[in-house]
Amino acid sequence: VALKRMLNFNVPPVKNSTGEPVWKVLIYDRFGQDIISPLLSVKELRDMGITLHLLLHSDRDAIPDVPAVYFVMPTEENIDRMCQDLRNQLYESYYLNFISAISRSKLEDIANAAIGANAVTQVAKVFDQYLNFITLEDDMFILCNQNKEVVSYRAINRPDITDTEMETIMDTIVDSLFCFFVTLGAIPIIRCSRGTAAEMVAVKLDKKLRENLRDARNSLFTGDTLGAGQFSFQRPLLVLVDRNIDLATPLHHTWTYQALVHDVLDFHLNRVNLEESTGTETSPAGARPKKKNKKSYDLTASDKFWQKHKGSPFPEVAESVQQELESYRAQEDEVKRLKSIMGIEGEDEGAISMLSDNTAKLTSAVSSLPELLEKKRLIDLHTNVATAVLEHIKSRKLDVYFEYEEKIMSKSTLDKSLLDMISDPDAGTPEDKMRLFLVYYISSAQAPSEIDLEQYKKALMDAGCNLSPLNYIKQWK
């Protein structure tokens, strides 16, 4: 809703207006692109009058009679580039939207550039959007995708981290959380564990919220903002937890559809990228190897199959794809049968619609064609994705890893020794073996004795593992 409002020049879109949308250009940086892409498709952008969407730092031609909506982070280089756009008189008017709040000094830089370029009247609006978080699903968001290693577990727990670096990390996290609550229009009750990074975030966020509320006139949580009226006694609970509390889970091999796609395939911001194998036929000697086709698929909320099955165990998903395929074939055969009854197998769709009798059935069959095609597209998509996942499961024995780790974490008895798993050359990559051993090491009540540990280390080394993660976890434990 906030994005659509922004693209409509920060006026809420009117429901019943039949007028054409105003044509405009959208200029974003990588951060803006990441925020918009999981939520709005190119078609939706076009419906809202966005004819072109371009990256801020690409070479852009002047389009003097079109308004431009900017959606960027208020960084030094972005501001410089915007000032340059003003000087070059690229667009008719400029709507500047900042993902996070812009500082006063940077605003002054833009104002000076506008005065210098004689373009003050063309800067229509400047907005802080407070949208510095990426929404992947209705009830899930992440903080960042660009340079995400900056706020990673590793960044926070590096032994050589300086205080200033830690401050920067905390500020980045707090800024995103603050933006999230501004967009919700709600003030949370914050809970965290003491003495951890989570507490640092909580204290900073609390301070930032209080400072904002103190100035009643300019508070983001009152007045005519998006979330006005939601300012009530029903306050959400924000629980901040340090990853160290439960370190085994992110290492654990997974078994549900969405988690597997995330674990074994290249899956970012709801889009999965696959390399298609081009069949098994061997090319003649000396010929160039065939290029692998790269395909990417969007797995979004509008994909009904994904919504229904993303939390299902993988075998169930494979069965469901099969069922969908069978029901699709039955519908397709029905259309073919009706065509052949009427003796118009070879005719095109136009001829069908002209026949008036016996067409009621056929018309309904034909009108369901777009739906059928969409069904077919989803079946193909999930067949490809599931097949790719299955290849990984087979080649790395991921089902064995999953079951084994489940047993370790629930403290059940193991039917096969850990050493056998690690030294089995067919089972998984060195990384898989390391993950398995770390899950075991973290979950075990008492750490293995030095003699056992040496034995495991040797097996891991033989399997080609890098032992530095183990050394870290050993020290951590």
Side-chain angles (χ1 to χ4, degrees), residues 136-380:
L136 297 180
E137 293 171 18
D138 286 350
D139 42 16
M140 181 169 88
F141 69 97
I142 56 174
L143 298 189
C144 63
N145 181 51
Q146 298 298 324
N147 10 346
K148 57 173 169 249
E149 60 282 353
V150 176
V151 293
S152 62
Y153 174 84
R154 181 177 171 270
I156 296 174
N157 291 286
R158 278 203 341 255
D160 57 349
I161 188 166
T162 62
D163 285 355
T164 47
E165 284 175 316
M166 193 66 164
E167 287 289 309
T168 317
I169 294 174
M170 295 298 135
D171 287 340
T172 313
I173 297 174
V174 167
D175 184 63
S176 289
L177 289 173
F178 182 73
C179 288
F180 174 74
F181 285 108
V182 171
T183 305
L184 266 191
I187 295 170
I189 293 165
I190 308 175
R191 292 279 176 268
C192 64
S193 44
R194 289 193 181 283
T196 59
E199 187 181 23
M200 292 171 71
V201 173
V203 171
K204 273 184 180 289
L205 180 61
D206 178 67
K207 186 168 168 237
K208 193 162 181 164
L209 287 165
R210 284 175 195 281
E211 276 170 8
N212 188 273
L213 286 171
R214 193 171 302 134
D215 180 1
R217 281 176 317 185
N218 297 325
S219 170
L220 295 163
F221 295 96
T222 53
D224 61 346
T225 52
L226 214 61
Q230 297 176 353
F231 188 68
S232 69
F233 294 106
Q234 293 296 325
R235 289 169 58 190
L237 177 66
L238 170 66
V239 182
L240 292 166
V241 187
D242 202 284
R243 183 72 267 174
N244 274 328
I245 285 179
D246 169 28
L247 210 46
T249 302
L251 298 166
H252 181 22
H253 287 84
T254 52
W255 198 233
T256 56
Y257 191 27
Q258 183 178 26
L260 271 167
V261 170
H262 192 275
D263 195 4
V264 302
L265 303 179
D266 173 15
F267 182 54
H268 293 289
L269 300 183
N270 294 347
R271 168 168 292 179
V272 60
N273 297 307
L274 292 181
E275 279 195 352
E276 290 205 320
S277 48
T278 44
T280 47
E281 70 268 16
T282 49
S283 44
R288 281 187 182 167
K290 284 194 172 168
K291 262 194 168 171
K292 284 192 164 179
N293 290 339
K294 281 207 156 134
K295 283 224 156 167
S296 67
Y297 301 110
D298 289 322
L299 299 171
T300 57
S302 58
D303 176 340
K304 291 195 183 69
F305 187 88
W306 176 247
Q307 281 306 68
K308 192 171 164 191
H309 295 291
K310 63 186 179 191
S312 311
F314 189 72
E316 278 179 30
V317 175
E319 275 174 38
S320 305
V321 174
Q322 195 55 42
Q323 286 164 4
E324 292 279 315
L325 190 59
E326 280 159 16
S327 83
Y328 166 75
R329 287 196 176 131
Q331 273 176 289
E332 200 181 35
D333 292 346
E334 174 69 358
V335 175
K336 283 186 185 146
R337 193 179 62 79
L338 284 166
K339 278 187 175 182
S340 65
I341 293 173
M342 300 172 71
I344 44 170
E345 287 97 326
E347 297 291 335
D348 58 2
E349 304 295 319
I352 296 175
S353 56
M354 290 194 302
L355 290 162
S356 56
D357 41 308
N358 195 9
T359 52
K361 265 181 147 176
L362 196 58
T363 321
S364 77
V366 172
S367 64
S368 67
L369 275 178
E371 203 178 303
L372 263 181
L373 289 172
E374 173 61 11
K375 205 169 186 180
K376 171 106 169 64
R377 186 186 72 79
L378 287 183
I379 292 170
D380 290 348

Side-chain angles (χ1 to χ4, degrees), residues 45-171:
L45 288 176
R46 189 149 301 137
D47 292 343
M48 298 186 63
I50 304 287
T51 46
L52 270 180
H53 37 97
L54 306 161
L55 279 165
L56 178 66
H57 292 282
S58 56
D59 295 327
R60 307 190 308 277
D61 301 328
I63 314 178
D65 48 358
V66 169
V69 175
Y70 285 75
F71 185 51
V72 296
M73 278 299 230
T75 59
E76 204 64 52
E77 48 188 346
N78 284 353
I79 304 277
D80 290 347
R81 185 60 192 255
M82 290 160 93
C83 295
Q84 195 183 321
D85 288 357
L86 288 170
R87 284 194 283 276
N88 297 344
Q89 307 261 324
L90 285 192
Y91 306 108
E92 176 194 46
S93 56
Y94 303 85
Y95 292 80
L96 310 181
N97 296 282
F98 296 104
I99 298 174
S100 276
I102 182 171
S103 65
R104 175 152 185 129
S105 61
K106 289 186 177 143
L107 260 181
E108 285 168 3
D109 295 345
I110 297 181
N112 287 331
I115 292 167
N118 203 4
V120 178
T121 50
Q122 289 162 300
V123 179
K125 285 180 183 172
V126 181
F127 269 87
D128 285 336
Q129 286 294 349
Y130 293 104
L131 290 176
N132 188 11
F133 58 94
I134 301 172
T135 307
L136 297 180
E137 293 171 18
D138 286 350
D139 42 16
M140 181 169 88
F141 69 97
I142 56 174
L143 298 189
C144 63
N145 181 51
Q146 298 298 324
N147 10 346
K148 57 173 169 249
E149 60 282 353
V150 176
V151 293
S152 62
Y153 174 84
R154 181 177 171 270
I156 296 174
N157 291 286
R158 278 203 341 255
D160 57 349
I161 188 166
T162 62
D163 285 355
T164 47
E165 284 175 316
M166 193 66 164
E167 287 289 309
T168 317
I169 294 174
M170 295 298 135
D171 287 340

